[in-house]
Amino acid sequence: DSGVTQTPKHLITATGQRVTLRCSPRSGDLSVYWYQQSLDQGLQFLIQYYNGEERAKGNILERFSAQQFPDLHSELNLSSLELGDSALYFCASSEGTGPQFNSPLHFGNGTRLTVT
Amino acid sequence: AQTVTQSQPEMSVQEAETVTLSCTYDTSENNYYLFWYKQPPSRQMILVIRQEAYKQQNATENRFSVNFQKAAKSFSLKISDSQLGDTAMDFCAFLNNDMRFGAGTRLTVKP
């Protein structure tokens, strides 16, 4: 058990809808990362937060947004969903950010989103 | 931006044999960390091994070891005594301000 909790585990919704994915980081971790993994693909980095502030942005669509709350949990909002958004969305957490922290990322089990 | 390249989409190895997975990366940074993660059919992401760029000594973790060549920006993973449970997607990852992953190598261990 990595200590990172993602809810829900599965989500099925229709095109054009909006969903929210939730992540609770491991106790003591201040950084939260979001990744998207389409079928048989690698992990695409979406966005990173550190202690409530956005730290790095990857290939995140404008239809997607995220935030990290004061209690350090994070939410990823996906709107105007398209069929191509179907994927496994991972949240990961780590102690800090930047090379001064060598702690690896600890991953949740992912949320599987299916857009029909 | 940092890029991570895994040039072997698929690899297979016989049980108990040794296999080496390749990874190269591109960065202008001097201080960073490298990782190998595996993703078994359960789709969980599991840390296999890590390497600090400032350390010349190659990391070793039981049957797993790396060959880190900083000048060549190469970070290969050697799996010794391969086991059926090693069947997974293996991802190389680069950490500086954020963590970027390679496209992965699908490793199959054959009995």
Side-chain angles (χ1 to χ4, degrees):
Chain A
D1 183 10
S2 68
V4 179
T5 303
Q6 286 189 251
T7 56
K9 290 184 179 179
H10 301 279
L11 200 51
I12 301 174
T13 189
T15 54
Q17 295 298 305
R18 172 190 169 94
V19 297
T20 297
L21 313 183
R22 182 186 170 99
C23 170
S24 294
R26 208 171 57 132
S27 178
D29 285 356
L30 298 178
S31 269
V32 169
Y33 299 72
W34 286 97
Y35 290 88
Q36 178 193 55
Q37 186 179 33
S38 301
L39 187 63
D40 290 333
Q41 300 284 318
L43 278 78
Q44 293 296 317
F45 170 65
L46 296 178
I47 198 163
Q48 180 206 357
Y49 282 84
Y50 174 73
N51 204 20
E53 293 188 0
E54 182 183 304
R55 272 305 177 98
K57 203 174 235 187
N59 301 321
I60 188 166
L61 300 173
E62 285 191 9
R63 301 183 285 110
F64 296 0
S65 65
Q67 55 184 327
Q68 186 180 27
F69 295 87
D71 66 353
L72 301 177
H73 92 271
S74 178
E75 293 181 355
L76 178 67
N77 300 297
L78 314 177
S79 61
S80 302
L81 285 168
E82 302 175 358
L83 296 178
D85 296 328
S86 294
L88 189 56
Y89 290 84
F90 281 106
C91 169
S93 72
S94 69
E95 289 179 4
T97 186
Q100 69 271 27
F101 292 96
N102 70 347
S103 57
L105 270 60
H106 299 270
F107 282 80
N109 289 332
T111 292
R112 181 170 296 284
L113 173 67
T114 302
V115 182
T116 61
Chain B
Q2 286 75 227
T3 58
V4 181
T5 302
Q6 293 179 251
S7 59
Q8 305 153 312
E10 295 186 6
M11 292 280 285
S12 64
V13 62
Q14 292 295 131
E15 194 175 7
E17 297 294 308
T18 295
V19 64
T20 298
L21 307 183
S22 301
C23 173
T24 58
Y25 57 94
D26 184 28
T27 184
S28 58
E29 301 291 337
N30 191 52
N31 192 14
Y32 51 87
Y33 299 89
L34 297 162
F35 302 87
W36 279 95
Y37 281 84
K38 73 173 184 179
Q39 188 178 41
S42 66
R43 305 302 294 272
Q44 282 184 291
M45 291 292 291
I46 302 168
L47 176 67
V48 174
I49 198 166
R50 78 177 88 176
Q51 174 79 43
E52 291 88 345
Y54 63 86
K55 287 188 177 179
Q56 291 188 339
Q57 185 174 6
N58 290 323
T60 298
E61 197 74 43
N62 300 317
R63 298 183 294 108
F64 302 90
S65 61
V66 299
N67 183 4
F68 174 48
Q69 302 290 327
K70 191 172 184 179
K73 297 180 183 175
S74 170
F75 182 60
S76 61
L77 173 69
K78 185 171 82 171
I79 305 174
S80 304
D81 186 25
S82 296
Q83 300 176 359
L84 297 178
D86 293 332
T87 292
M89 279 289 285
D90 292 295
F91 293 99
C92 176
F94 174 101
L95 173 66
N96 182 256
N97 289 312
D98 58 64
M99 184 174 277
R100 303 295 174 120
F101 287 80
T105 295
R106 183 177 299 281
L107 176 66
T108 302
V109 180
K110 299 180 178 179

